[in-house]
Amino acid sequence: MRFVKKLEKVILAESVLCILTLTLIFVGWHFDAVVFFILIIQIMILIYTVTAIVHPLKEFARILDYLCETEFEEEELRIAPLGIPFVKQTYRLMDRYAAYKTRKDNVQILNKQTELTALQSQINPHFLYNTLETIRGQALIDDNIEIAKMVEALSAFFRYSISRKGNLVTLRDELVNIENYMLIQRYRFNNRFSLEVIVDEEDEQAYDFLIPRLIIQPVVENAIFHGLEEKLEGGKVTIEIIVTDQNLILTISDNGKGMDSDKLKELNFRIQSDDMELDDGKNHNTRNTGIAFPNIHKRIQLLFGDEYGVNVYSTVGQGTDVEITIPVDYKNDREKDNEERTAEN
């Protein structure tokens, strides 16, 4: 940095002056001449120090006081006198902090919107749970084990979907919810669909990683209703889990009808859009899944950064792959999330 270089020049000049003084005395210069010569150089160094270092530091302190005590416009903030040290770095730091705060605030806003969207379908949930348990109990009494299993899966799915226990869950919990969802769909569609979870043995620690809640189920639902619904048999959803040094990559694939390049391009454009409104499923034929691809993508980016999110790949007649990328073993907010779970329980 330019200011640091100026400071280094002063230190170097003082060092050279000391060496020069000793040299002049050693070679036999008259003491008074040496003192006069050194005094002239020292005055020059002092003037340079005041003008190049002390004055800019005072201006920097003044700017900091101004920023701390005054409300200012962004254009006004960018106008800084030349030569003031660390101003650009300070502005960059302020920009990063502002972006961080904006991202955190947007996370809270989007989570509230998501919660409100879920609450629209949450009509007396305890009545729903109790009714489902009653049906399940009657099915067990009648030895109808299949119906009892289906009702149990449906009850667990509803509890997980509209639960307010934190925004982060383990991958294991999310996959259990997917199992319940697929059990219900297999009953509905007479076992036309199957689910496979693929994870290498060395990547099994990913089951305990924290991920945003409800980021896989909407993708699986989309795979069934838009990819596999027309298949009379052999429909399959595959969830592949890959752990790299920095990322957890979840790929949800189906062997359905896929989509052409135009539809794929439109879908990825909608996912990458900066529009922060929740997609309620009404405008894009998503069967009202509640949390569509763009919302999953935005939630991930707001939580973890722009380098993460959702990408879709598809080929007509071969199926669709939805790739979700998040940080590996995300631990920030873990304690806070656990406290929220404890409070809810």
Side-chain angles (χ1 to χ4, degrees):
M1 291 181 292
R2 188 174 302 176
F3 178 78
V4 175
K5 290 182 178 179
K6 291 179 180 180
L7 188 59
E8 290 175 347
K9 288 180 180 178
V10 172
I11 296 174
L12 178 61
E14 289 289 351
S15 301
V16 171
L17 185 60
C18 291
I19 295 174
L20 182 60
T21 302
L22 294 175
T23 302
L24 293 177
I25 294 175
F26 180 78
V27 298
W29 271 44
H30 193 275
F31 181 77
D32 292 339
V34 172
V35 170
F36 179 76
F37 177 75
I38 297 303
L39 182 60
I40 296 297
I41 297 178
Q42 190 66 58
I43 291 174
M44 295 173 61
I45 294 176
L46 181 61
I47 293 174
Y48 178 82
T49 302
V50 171
T51 57
I53 298 177
V54 176
H55 180 68
L57 283 177
K58 290 180 64 177
E59 283 296 308
F60 180 63
R62 183 186 63 79
I63 291 175
L64 289 181
D65 291 338
Y66 173 78
L67 296 178
C68 293
E69 299 176 0
T70 310
E71 294 185 2
F72 47 84
E73 298 292 336
E74 183 176 354
E75 294 78 8
E76 184 181 5
L77 178 63
R78 301 301 172 189
I79 301 176
L82 294 176
I84 304 301
F86 309 123
V87 168
K88 292 183 179 180
Q89 292 86 343
T90 302
Y91 290 163
R92 283 200 295 266
L93 181 62
M94 292 174 62
D95 287 340
R96 289 183 60 189
Y97 179 74
Y100 168 80
K101 287 292 293 181
T102 300
R103 201 174 80 188
K104 285 293 184 182
D105 291 342
N106 285 338
V107 169
Q108 295 177 0
I109 292 172
L110 192 58
N111 286 336
K112 287 296 182 182
Q113 289 179 319
T114 304
E115 182 179 316
L116 290 173
T117 301
L119 287 175
Q120 290 177 358
S121 60
Q122 188 180 351
I123 303 174
N124 201 348
H126 294 292
F127 173 78
L128 173 63
Y129 300 150
N130 292 336
T131 302
L132 290 174
E133 285 301 311
T134 300
I135 296 173
R136 176 175 175 271
Q138 186 62 49
L140 290 174
I141 291 174
D142 296 339
D143 289 329
N144 196 328
I145 304 302
E146 295 299 312
I147 295 297
K149 287 182 179 179
M150 181 178 177
V151 172
E152 183 179 21
L154 181 61
S155 178
F157 175 76
F158 276 136
R159 284 182 183 273
Y160 185 87
S161 297
I162 64 178
S163 170
R164 301 175 62 185
K165 294 182 179 179
N167 297 313
L168 297 176
V169 297
T170 63
L171 177 60
R172 177 180 287 104
D173 290 341
E174 186 81 353
L175 291 176
V176 169
N177 185 57
I178 299 301
E179 292 283 357
N180 288 325
Y181 175 76
M182 287 299 295
L183 178 61
I184 297 168
Q185 295 301 340
R186 283 196 291 269
Y187 275 111
R188 287 188 60 197
F189 293 97
N190 196 25
N191 289 317
R192 284 160 48 190
F193 313 131
S194 63
L195 172 68
E196 181 181 11
V197 178
I198 301 176
V199 55
D200 290 338
E201 184 175 348
E202 62 268 22
D203 292 339
E204 289 184 351
Q205 74 271 17
Y207 287 126
D208 295 318
F209 292 174
L210 291 180
I211 66 172
R213 188 164 61 92
L214 289 174
I215 63 169
I216 301 179
Q217 184 272 328
V219 180
V220 174
E221 182 172 349
N222 186 82
I224 291 176
F225 285 117
H226 295 284
L228 302 177
E229 190 173 31
E230 297 178 3
K231 291 181 73 73
L232 299 181
E233 61 180 1
K236 185 175 182 180
V237 176
T238 303
I239 301 175
E240 184 177 11
I241 302 167
I242 297 176
V243 179
T244 67
D245 290 340
Q246 297 182 342
N247 295 331
L248 171 63
I249 303 173
L250 308 173
T251 304
I252 300 93
S253 306
D254 67 72
N255 61 345
K257 63 181 182 180
M259 68 184 81
D260 59 38
S261 59
D262 290 338
K263 289 183 178 179
L264 179 63
K265 184 177 179 180
E266 178 186 356
L267 176 59
N268 278 310
F269 176 80
R270 186 153 42 88
I271 291 172
Q272 300 293 333
S273 172
D274 291 332
D275 185 6
M276 288 298 299
E277 293 183 2
L278 278 178
D279 184 349
D280 60 5
K282 295 179 181 179
N283 297 325
H284 307 293
N285 193 29
T286 57
R287 300 275 181 115
N288 198 22
T289 59
I291 305 176
F293 287 178
N295 307 117
I296 298 171
H297 181 74
K298 291 179 182 63
R299 289 174 61 205
I300 291 173
Q301 288 202 328
L302 289 171
L303 283 168
F304 307 124
D306 292 342
E307 63 269 36
Y308 304 101
V310 177
N311 288 290
V312 182
Y313 311 92
S314 186
T315 303
V316 174
Q318 297 186 19
T320 301
D321 298 333
V322 179
E323 185 180 87
I324 300 174
T325 304
I326 62 176
V328 66
D329 198 11
Y330 182 70
K331 294 181 179 180
N332 292 342
D333 295 335
R334 181 189 293 266
E335 294 181 0
K336 179 180 178 181
D337 194 68
N338 288 336
E339 289 175 0
E340 289 178 357
R341 295 182 192 181
T342 302
E344 287 290 337
N345 292 333

